[in-house]
Amino acid sequence: MNATSFYLKLLDDIAVPMSEIKKARTKRDELAAVAVAALDAWAVTATGFFRSGALAAGTQIKPLNDVDLVVYASTIRTAWKDAPQQALVDLCAALRAKGFECTLSTHAIKVTFPDVSFTADVVFGCTHPEQGLWIPHCPDAEPHEWIRTDPQEHARQIRKRNNDIGVEFARQIRILKVLNQKWSLADPDGRKPISSHHLSALALATIHTSVTYATTTPAFLDRAAELVLRPLPDPSGVGPDLEARDPERAAALMQAAASETRRALVAGEDAGRILEGVFGDPATTLAAIYGAPLSVAAGGGLTIGTGTRGIGSGRSYGDAA
Amino acid sequence: MPRNATRTRRRAHPRRRTHRRWERKRLHAQRTRQRRIGRRRCRAAVRQRRWANAPWWYRHPLEWLALESGFPEEYANFRRREIGKALVYAGEVDVGDAGTRRLAVIFPGRPSRVPPIVMADGSKKSRHRYRWSRPTSLCIWYPSDPRRQRWTIEEGLHGLIDRARVHLLKEAWWRVHERWPSPEVHHEPRGTERRITTSERRRLQRLDRQRCWCGRKRYATCHGAIAADVELRQLGLA
């Protein structure tokens, strides 16, 4: 398999089915209507919502874990001013009253649906007079505060780049997300070297011409390995600079992946094997985590379908962490 | 004593003498036989004790054979060790996108009766682990599920390693996404139960009395009482 075929197969393996995307959009918009109605009931002004995150920017990969939604108002309740988390608590209570099951996270309300596997992250934002929003930032061990961000502008920039150089730009981000996910799977704590938002920002900063996956990937990784070593300005211009948790490690991983993807360019039909070493086998990983039948291939690796021997499946059991 | 006293003692009738001699012989033979039986019983008791204390792979060699039969080339790096009454297989496995991990597969008793214990190096953060021992062990299947959903000796050692690889991949996914999409039976960690029922209390008591993975005595007084790094070295995980 040559490099181009590998990237196309990879994109095919990680594509979210259109039926699921449509279902996610419907759920998101239903939830948005309920959340906006709750804001209106509190008599805050100029309420509304917009879609954000991977689904809004077209950079989603399989499995679709969550859909993101921002509900906003131009004013906030007095009680929320010094206690940002109270905004999330009140909105969460309002959603619960309408039958949604929700929990709080650092920035958002996570809503779970009984009939679908994905969740929805509802962010509440207060419109900033100049640009973007103030959103609650409520980490467990730190003081809570309102921080500035502009998720709408971020999604808009990706869509604009898609219009300018082609939809391959968003697909290139999907490929890079697979790589980031593989790195996180191999990490003992399951941490991604860089966040998806940071990855998209790096792509916006480095990819300006039309994308050919086989050549753009190593070029991006080379450039990103340099950029990740220092803080990257937020693409929307209002949020804090983006930094990797461990810039040296992220740079080293990107550098190694860059040299391998470049080697695959001249490897001809052997490129598939080289690139599989870099990107892994997301199709098999997805099959494994969803409990699909797996087998062991002739080389000893895990594979989908028929191999040298099947692997038994059962229900995992035990104490939670 | 008058001299004629011996003289007056009458010699026993020859038939009676023969009878006494025969009786002495009989008693001697009986005592000899009893001693022999006693010695035999003693030896048998020792043999029984030895047999009872013998590791399971001596008592059930066919199970051992079944366990190792068809062991594939990709697991050739696995090494077998005897620790206490347990047979421990340790080696490195490829866990797909989650990289490479070291695995210790422990058989504390005959595999057809005593469930094996599987431990792995690296992060212990998982949704599905048994936590009675410090290295923690993988909960790959639900013990009350039907046979086809559990590992059985028919699958062999390699079948168990295959299952462990898939489980480790699921664990890695859970650490990243906090999701366990495949079938599971989940219960809350110890100490977070709102109301401890009798069955739950019994389960917790069972955990406190958990036998060590090496099969000798309780974990708390066996490998649980030695340094953690020594335990990991013995398992081949450090």
Side-chain angles (χ1 to χ4, degrees), chain A residues 151-202:
Chain A
Q152 195 171 21
E153 173 62 14
H154 186 74
R156 192 196 64 76
Q157 284 186 8
I158 293 177
R159 283 199 297 267
K160 182 173 181 303
R161 193 65 56 87
N162 275 340
N163 291 334
D164 293 347
I165 63 172
V167 288
E168 288 78 16
F169 175 72
R171 290 180 186 154
Q172 179 67 57
I173 295 178
R174 291 184 205 169
I175 291 172
L176 299 170
K177 280 173 120 178
V178 172
L179 189 58
N180 202 25
Q181 178 171 274
K182 182 178 178 276
W183 288 332
S184 63
L185 284 172
D187 184 81
D189 297 319
R191 286 180 174 166
K192 288 178 180 171
I194 56 170
S195 67
S196 297
H197 179 56
H198 194 170
L199 193 69
S200 307
L202 283 168

Side-chain angles (χ1 to χ4, degrees), chain A residues 126 128-135 137 145-151 234 236-240:
Chain A
C126 176
H128 191 277
E130 291 166 14
Q131 185 200 337
L133 302 164
W134 280 296
I135 63 163
H137 175 69
E145 57 181 339
W146 291 92
I147 57 164
R148 271 192 78 181
T149 183
D150 194 350
D234 180 48
S236 62
V238 296

Side-chain angles (χ1 to χ4, degrees), chain A residues 61-314:
Chain A
I61 61 170
K62 202 173 169 183
L64 188 64
N65 285 330
D66 50 29
V67 289
D68 298 281
L69 167 73
V70 179
V71 288
Y72 60 85
S74 61
T75 54
I76 56 169
R77 298 172 98 183
T78 321
W80 297 351
K81 197 179 173 189
D82 296 323
Q85 199 175 32
Q86 195 56 44
L88 298 179
V89 171
D90 290 351
L91 196 53
C92 185
L95 292 175
R96 275 204 190 112
K98 295 289 178 186
F100 291 101
E101 196 179 309
C102 42
T103 52
L104 299 187
S105 66
T106 308
H107 297 114
I109 301 160
K110 190 171 278 300
V111 180
T112 44
F113 304 101
D115 53 341
V116 288
S117 59
F118 55 81
T119 58
D121 282 350
V122 183
V123 175
F124 170 72
C126 176
T127 320
H128 191 277
E130 291 166 14
Q131 185 200 337
L133 302 164
W134 280 296
I135 63 163
H137 175 69
C138 311
D140 285 338
E142 288 171 41
H144 298 173
E145 57 181 339
W146 291 92
I147 57 164
R148 271 192 78 181
T149 183
D150 194 350
Q152 195 171 21
E153 173 62 14
H154 186 74
R156 192 196 64 76
Q157 284 186 8
I158 293 177
R159 283 199 297 267
K160 182 173 181 303
R161 193 65 56 87
N162 275 340
N163 291 334
D164 293 347
I165 63 172
V167 288
E168 288 78 16
F169 175 72
R171 290 180 186 154
Q172 179 67 57
I173 295 178
R174 291 184 205 169
I175 291 172
L176 299 170
K177 280 173 120 178
V178 172
L179 189 58
N180 202 25
Q181 178 171 274
K182 182 178 178 276
W183 288 332
S184 63
L185 284 172
D187 184 81
D189 297 319
R191 286 180 174 166
K192 288 178 180 171
I194 56 170
S195 67
S196 297
H197 179 56
H198 194 170
L199 193 69
S200 307
L202 283 168
L204 282 169
T206 54
I207 304 171
H208 299 280
T209 53
S210 61
V211 167
T212 316
Y213 308 125
T215 51
T216 306
T217 307
F220 165 84
L221 289 167
D222 264 335
R223 183 80 184 105
E226 294 167 19
L227 288 178
V228 81
L229 288 169
R230 52 184 184 273
L232 183 75
D234 180 48
S236 62
V238 296
D241 287 353
L242 303 169
E243 281 183 85
R245 190 172 277 113
D246 184 351
E248 277 78 23
R249 181 175 169 262
L253 287 168
M254 286 174 171
Q255 201 63 65
S259 66
E260 283 295 286
T261 46
R262 193 170 296 104
R263 192 162 70 89
L265 277 177
V266 291
E269 290 303 306
D270 201 27
R273 190 187 55 76
I274 297 169
L275 291 173
E276 197 167 306
V278 178
F279 292 94
D281 184 0
T284 302
T285 302
L286 285 173
I289 61 134
Y290 279 99
L294 287 181
S295 58
V296 178
L302 302 174
T303 185
I304 309 168
T306 325
T308 53
R309 60 177 186 274
I311 301 177
S313 61

Side-chain angles (χ1 to χ4, degrees), chain A residues 65 300 309 315-317 319, chain B residues 127 139 145 162 179 187:
Chain A
N65 285 330
R309 60 177 186 274
R315 293 194 293 173
S316 308
Y317 171 66
D319 293 329
Chain B
R127 186 171 164 86
C139 316
D145 269 343
D162 293 342
R179 282 163 191 265
H187 61 76

